[in-house]
Amino acid sequence: MKAVVTRQHTASFLPQIPTNSNKWKGGTPYRVRQEKKSDKSTQILSREQIAQFRNSLKQNISVQLLQEGYHRSFSEFFSLLQSEQSRIEAADPSSDLRLQTPLEDQPDKLEAMRLHLSHAEQAERIGSWSKVCEQRLLVAQFFSAPEDLWLRLHFYHSCADREQGGRSRPATEARACMADIYLQQGDLLEATHQAELCYQQAEDGGWLDSTGRPLRLRAQQTLWEIYTRRADALLDAAKYKEALKLLHRGHSIITESEDKQGEGEATYRLGMAYQRSGDHDTAKKFLNTSMQIYDRLQDAEGLVKAYKVWVTSVERYTQTQTELP
């Protein structure tokens, strides 16, 4: 019987991967390539970078301001955070202030302060005073939440009350904003002060506020509202002479602004005030003028209210004339 000869296969199942072949001389082995890739992705953290993970954001921003040479910005930043802490500690335990999130736990607000304060200080170094005020106006407008009103007023004042730059467009807008705030708070004297300064500074500037509204017109409308509210309090106290003086001033300003709706209301208010003071003849004249303005504006509601008061003035004037000897 013939022996069965089994053919031996010298080739393996998987192809051989040469390890020392010359064709690898121009390339880089995978292990080495991976080590180099790892070297690029692995970085040794500096002491400052490590500190960022350990320190609070407040501390990191403080260090950054100092390292970059913004010492005034650091002082103001630190002072404001300390001021807030003092306000919280002094507040009544049941006060809403105790429930508010502290500034140091609000990254967006801390970063806004750092950014605008440092930019303002940088502008101050080169004497760009309008730019200084612009940065302070911007950071004031950033703090729009009701609980940040104290911060908003701080930055508005730091913008408008400057010896250098205090009459610039941004500073004038800051005064307009403060006039609105103090009016809302019922502080009519401070509102008058800010609005009158805004009116004086914007008188010849032709400036617009951040929303595109003329600053002069804004000051005129605010002043009229302030004078009207102050006059109402004087009328309630029967101080007619002082009240009429304020109403005439407000009427003059709003008429100058060419705000016809405001002019009609200001004229109506004067008629009402003269009626309360007992001068029905003068009241009748102002009320008649207000009706003409409302009629041109096609303001039916204004026309009706002015007509009702006008009728009363006519009746009372007629009555006083018949009572004369």
Short mmCIF file of all heavy atoms in Angstrom, two decimals, residues 256-292:
data_model
loop_
_atom_site.label_atom_id
_atom_site.label_comp_id
_atom_site.label_asym_id
_atom_site.label_seq_id
_atom_site.Cartn_x
_atom_site.Cartn_y
_atom_site.Cartn_z
N GLU A 256 -42.16 123.40 24.04
CA GLU A 256 -40.91 123.53 23.30
C GLU A 256 -40.51 122.22 22.62
O GLU A 256 -39.90 122.22 21.55
CB GLU A 256 -39.80 123.97 24.26
CG GLU A 256 -38.44 124.15 23.63
CD GLU A 256 -37.36 124.40 24.66
OE1 GLU A 256 -37.69 124.76 25.81
OE2 GLU A 256 -36.18 124.22 24.32
N SER A 257 -40.89 121.12 23.22
CA SER A 257 -40.52 119.80 22.68
C SER A 257 -41.33 119.42 21.45
O SER A 257 -41.01 118.45 20.76
CB SER A 257 -40.71 118.72 23.74
OG SER A 257 -42.09 118.44 23.93
N GLU A 258 -42.42 120.16 21.19
CA GLU A 258 -43.33 119.89 20.07
C GLU A 258 -44.03 118.54 20.21
O GLU A 258 -44.44 117.92 19.22
CB GLU A 258 -42.57 119.96 18.72
CG GLU A 258 -41.98 121.33 18.45
CD GLU A 258 -41.30 121.43 17.10
OE1 GLU A 258 -41.22 120.40 16.40
OE2 GLU A 258 -40.87 122.53 16.73
N ASP A 259 -44.17 118.10 21.46
CA ASP A 259 -44.96 116.90 21.76
C ASP A 259 -46.41 117.37 21.96
O ASP A 259 -46.78 117.83 23.03
CB ASP A 259 -44.41 116.23 23.02
CG ASP A 259 -45.25 115.03 23.46
OD1 ASP A 259 -46.23 114.70 22.77
OD2 ASP A 259 -44.93 114.44 24.51
N LYS A 260 -47.20 117.29 20.91
CA LYS A 260 -48.55 117.85 20.95
C LYS A 260 -49.47 117.15 21.95
O LYS A 260 -50.31 117.79 22.59
CB LYS A 260 -49.18 117.79 19.54
CG LYS A 260 -48.53 118.75 18.55
CD LYS A 260 -48.63 120.18 19.04
CE LYS A 260 -47.98 121.17 18.10
NZ LYS A 260 -48.02 122.56 18.63
N GLN A 261 -49.30 115.86 22.09
CA GLN A 261 -50.11 115.14 23.07
C GLN A 261 -49.77 115.63 24.47
O GLN A 261 -50.65 115.88 25.30
CB GLN A 261 -49.86 113.63 22.98
CG GLN A 261 -50.82 112.78 23.79
CD GLN A 261 -52.24 112.79 23.23
OE1 GLN A 261 -52.44 112.69 22.01
NE2 GLN A 261 -53.23 112.91 24.09
N GLY A 262 -48.47 115.79 24.74
CA GLY A 262 -48.04 116.31 26.03
C GLY A 262 -48.47 117.75 26.24
O GLY A 262 -48.85 118.14 27.35
N GLU A 263 -48.44 118.53 25.18
CA GLU A 263 -48.86 119.94 25.28
C GLU A 263 -50.35 120.04 25.64
O GLU A 263 -50.76 120.87 26.46
CB GLU A 263 -48.60 120.66 23.96
CG GLU A 263 -48.94 122.13 24.01
CD GLU A 263 -48.73 122.82 22.66
OE1 GLU A 263 -48.12 122.20 21.76
OE2 GLU A 263 -49.18 123.98 22.52
N GLY A 264 -51.16 119.16 25.01
CA GLY A 264 -52.58 119.17 25.33
C GLY A 264 -52.83 118.82 26.79
O GLY A 264 -53.65 119.46 27.46
N GLU A 265 -52.11 117.82 27.30
CA GLU A 265 -52.27 117.41 28.70
C GLU A 265 -51.77 118.49 29.64
O GLU A 265 -52.40 118.76 30.68
CB GLU A 265 -51.51 116.11 28.93
CG GLU A 265 -51.68 115.51 30.32
CD GLU A 265 -53.09 115.01 30.59
OE1 GLU A 265 -53.87 114.83 29.62
OE2 GLU A 265 -53.42 114.79 31.77
N ALA A 266 -50.64 119.13 29.30
CA ALA A 266 -50.09 120.19 30.16
C ALA A 266 -51.05 121.39 30.22
O ALA A 266 -51.23 122.00 31.29
CB ALA A 266 -48.73 120.62 29.63
N THR A 267 -51.67 121.72 29.10
CA THR A 267 -52.62 122.84 29.07
C THR A 267 -53.87 122.50 29.88
O THR A 267 -54.41 123.36 30.61
CB THR A 267 -53.01 123.15 27.61
OG1 THR A 267 -51.82 123.32 26.84
CG2 THR A 267 -53.82 124.42 27.52
N TYR A 268 -54.31 121.27 29.76
CA TYR A 268 -55.47 120.80 30.55
C TYR A 268 -55.16 120.88 32.05
O TYR A 268 -56.00 121.33 32.84
CB TYR A 268 -55.81 119.37 30.14
CG TYR A 268 -56.74 118.66 31.08
CD1 TYR A 268 -58.11 118.95 31.11
CD2 TYR A 268 -56.26 117.67 31.95
CE1 TYR A 268 -58.96 118.28 31.98
CE2 TYR A 268 -57.10 117.01 32.81
CZ TYR A 268 -58.45 117.32 32.83
OH TYR A 268 -59.29 116.66 33.70
N ARG A 269 -53.97 120.46 32.43
CA ARG A 269 -53.57 120.49 33.85
C ARG A 269 -53.55 121.92 34.38
O ARG A 269 -53.92 122.16 35.53
CB ARG A 269 -52.19 119.86 34.00
CG ARG A 269 -52.14 118.37 33.71
CD ARG A 269 -52.45 117.58 34.96
NE ARG A 269 -52.21 116.17 34.77
CZ ARG A 269 -52.10 115.30 35.77
NH1 ARG A 269 -52.21 115.72 37.01
NH2 ARG A 269 -51.90 114.02 35.53
N LEU A 270 -53.11 122.85 33.57
CA LEU A 270 -53.11 124.25 33.99
C LEU A 270 -54.54 124.75 34.20
O LEU A 270 -54.84 125.46 35.18
CB LEU A 270 -52.40 125.12 32.95
CG LEU A 270 -50.90 125.33 33.16
CD1 LEU A 270 -50.28 125.99 31.94
CD2 LEU A 270 -50.65 126.17 34.41
N GLY A 271 -55.44 124.37 33.29
CA GLY A 271 -56.84 124.76 33.45
C GLY A 271 -57.43 124.20 34.73
O GLY A 271 -58.14 124.92 35.47
N MET A 272 -57.14 122.95 35.02
CA MET A 272 -57.62 122.33 36.26
C MET A 272 -57.08 123.06 37.48
O MET A 272 -57.80 123.30 38.46
CB MET A 272 -57.18 120.86 36.29
CG MET A 272 -57.93 119.96 35.34
SD MET A 272 -59.51 119.41 36.03
CE MET A 272 -58.94 118.37 37.37
N ALA A 273 -55.78 123.40 37.45
CA ALA A 273 -55.16 124.06 38.60
C ALA A 273 -55.76 125.44 38.83
O ALA A 273 -56.01 125.83 39.98
CB ALA A 273 -53.65 124.16 38.36
N TYR A 274 -55.99 126.17 37.76
CA TYR A 274 -56.59 127.50 37.93
C TYR A 274 -58.02 127.39 38.46
O TYR A 274 -58.48 128.23 39.24
CB TYR A 274 -56.57 128.27 36.60
CG TYR A 274 -55.28 129.01 36.37
CD1 TYR A 274 -54.36 128.60 35.40
CD2 TYR A 274 -54.96 130.14 37.14
CE1 TYR A 274 -53.17 129.29 35.19
CE2 TYR A 274 -53.77 130.84 36.94
CZ TYR A 274 -52.89 130.40 35.98
OH TYR A 274 -51.70 131.09 35.79
N GLN A 275 -58.73 126.35 38.02
CA GLN A 275 -60.08 126.15 38.55
C GLN A 275 -60.04 125.88 40.05
O GLN A 275 -60.83 126.43 40.82
CB GLN A 275 -60.76 124.99 37.83
CG GLN A 275 -62.22 124.81 38.24
CD GLN A 275 -62.82 123.54 37.68
OE1 GLN A 275 -62.65 122.48 38.25
NE2 GLN A 275 -63.50 123.66 36.55
N ARG A 276 -59.10 125.06 40.50
CA ARG A 276 -58.98 124.75 41.93
C ARG A 276 -58.57 125.96 42.74
O ARG A 276 -58.92 126.09 43.92
CB ARG A 276 -57.98 123.61 42.14
CG ARG A 276 -58.47 122.28 41.62
CD ARG A 276 -57.47 121.16 41.88
NE ARG A 276 -57.31 120.89 43.30
CZ ARG A 276 -56.56 119.91 43.81
NH1 ARG A 276 -55.91 119.09 42.96
NH2 ARG A 276 -56.45 119.72 45.11
N SER A 277 -57.81 126.85 42.10
CA SER A 277 -57.38 128.05 42.82
C SER A 277 -58.48 129.12 42.88
O SER A 277 -58.34 130.12 43.58
CB SER A 277 -56.14 128.65 42.14
OG SER A 277 -56.47 129.23 40.88
N GLY A 278 -59.56 128.91 42.11
CA GLY A 278 -60.67 129.86 42.11
C GLY A 278 -60.64 130.85 40.96
O GLY A 278 -61.54 131.68 40.84
N ASP A 279 -59.62 130.77 40.11
CA ASP A 279 -59.52 131.68 38.96
C ASP A 279 -60.19 131.01 37.76
O ASP A 279 -59.53 130.44 36.88
CB ASP A 279 -58.05 131.99 38.68
CG ASP A 279 -57.86 133.08 37.62
OD1 ASP A 279 -58.84 133.41 36.94
OD2 ASP A 279 -56.72 133.57 37.47
N HIS A 280 -61.51 131.10 37.71
CA HIS A 280 -62.27 130.36 36.69
C HIS A 280 -62.14 130.98 35.30
O HIS A 280 -62.24 130.26 34.29
CB HIS A 280 -63.74 130.29 37.10
CG HIS A 280 -63.94 129.63 38.42
ND1 HIS A 280 -63.68 128.30 38.63
CD2 HIS A 280 -64.35 130.12 39.63
CE1 HIS A 280 -63.93 127.99 39.89
NE2 HIS A 280 -64.34 129.09 40.52
N ASP A 281 -61.90 132.27 35.22
CA ASP A 281 -61.75 132.91 33.92
C ASP A 281 -60.49 132.40 33.21
O ASP A 281 -60.54 132.03 32.03
CB ASP A 281 -61.67 134.43 34.11
CG ASP A 281 -61.67 135.16 32.78
OD1 ASP A 281 -62.31 134.67 31.83
OD2 ASP A 281 -61.01 136.23 32.69
N THR A 282 -59.37 132.37 33.95
CA THR A 282 -58.12 131.86 33.37
C THR A 282 -58.24 130.36 33.10
O THR A 282 -57.73 129.87 32.08
CB THR A 282 -56.94 132.13 34.31
OG1 THR A 282 -56.90 133.52 34.63
CG2 THR A 282 -55.62 131.72 33.67
N ALA A 283 -58.91 129.64 34.00
CA ALA A 283 -59.11 128.20 33.81
C ALA A 283 -59.84 127.93 32.51
O ALA A 283 -59.48 127.03 31.73
CB ALA A 283 -59.90 127.63 34.99
N LYS A 284 -60.86 128.75 32.25
CA LYS A 284 -61.67 128.59 31.03
C LYS A 284 -60.81 128.74 29.77
O LYS A 284 -60.96 127.99 28.80
CB LYS A 284 -62.79 129.63 31.06
CG LYS A 284 -63.78 129.51 29.94
CD LYS A 284 -64.91 130.53 30.13
CE LYS A 284 -64.32 131.94 30.17
NZ LYS A 284 -65.39 132.97 30.14
N LYS A 285 -59.88 129.70 29.79
CA LYS A 285 -59.03 129.95 28.62
C LYS A 285 -58.10 128.77 28.35
O LYS A 285 -57.95 128.34 27.20
CB LYS A 285 -58.21 131.22 28.86
CG LYS A 285 -59.05 132.49 28.93
CD LYS A 285 -58.20 133.70 29.28
CE LYS A 285 -59.07 134.96 29.41
NZ LYS A 285 -58.25 136.13 29.82
N PHE A 286 -57.47 128.26 29.41
CA PHE A 286 -56.55 127.13 29.22
C PHE A 286 -57.31 125.87 28.79
O PHE A 286 -56.83 125.10 27.94
CB PHE A 286 -55.75 126.86 30.49
CG PHE A 286 -54.52 127.73 30.62
CD1 PHE A 286 -54.51 128.81 31.47
CD2 PHE A 286 -53.39 127.47 29.86
CE1 PHE A 286 -53.39 129.63 31.58
CE2 PHE A 286 -52.26 128.27 29.96
CZ PHE A 286 -52.26 129.35 30.82
N LEU A 287 -58.47 125.65 29.37
CA LEU A 287 -59.26 124.47 29.02
C LEU A 287 -59.76 124.54 27.58
O LEU A 287 -59.79 123.54 26.86
CB LEU A 287 -60.44 124.32 29.98
CG LEU A 287 -60.04 123.91 31.41
CD1 LEU A 287 -61.20 124.10 32.37
CD2 LEU A 287 -59.58 122.45 31.43
N ASN A 288 -60.11 125.76 27.14
CA ASN A 288 -60.53 125.94 25.75
C ASN A 288 -59.38 125.63 24.79
O ASN A 288 -59.59 124.97 23.75
CB ASN A 288 -61.02 127.38 25.56
CG ASN A 288 -61.62 127.59 24.18
OD1 ASN A 288 -62.59 126.93 23.80
ND2 ASN A 288 -61.03 128.51 23.41
N THR A 289 -58.17 126.06 25.16
CA THR A 289 -56.99 125.77 24.32
C THR A 289 -56.71 124.27 24.27
O THR A 289 -56.38 123.72 23.22
CB THR A 289 -55.76 126.51 24.86
OG1 THR A 289 -56.02 127.92 24.87
CG2 THR A 289 -54.54 126.24 23.99
N SER A 290 -56.85 123.61 25.42
CA SER A 290 -56.60 122.17 25.46
C SER A 290 -57.60 121.42 24.60
O SER A 290 -57.25 120.44 23.92
CB SER A 290 -56.65 121.65 26.90
OG SER A 290 -57.95 121.66 27.41
N MET A 291 -58.85 121.88 24.58
CA MET A 291 -59.86 121.23 23.73
C MET A 291 -59.51 121.38 22.25
O MET A 291 -59.70 120.45 21.46
CB MET A 291 -61.25 121.83 24.01
CG MET A 291 -61.85 121.35 25.33
SD MET A 291 -63.60 121.78 25.49
CE MET A 291 -63.51 123.57 25.61
N GLN A 292 -58.97 122.53 21.89
CA GLN A 292 -58.57 122.74 20.50
C GLN A 292 -57.43 121.78 20.11
O GLN A 292 -57.42 121.22 19.00
CB GLN A 292 -58.12 124.18 20.31
CG GLN A 292 -59.25 125.20 20.45
CD GLN A 292 -58.74 126.63 20.40
OE1 GLN A 292 -57.56 126.89 20.16
NE2 GLN A 292 -59.64 127.59 20.62
#
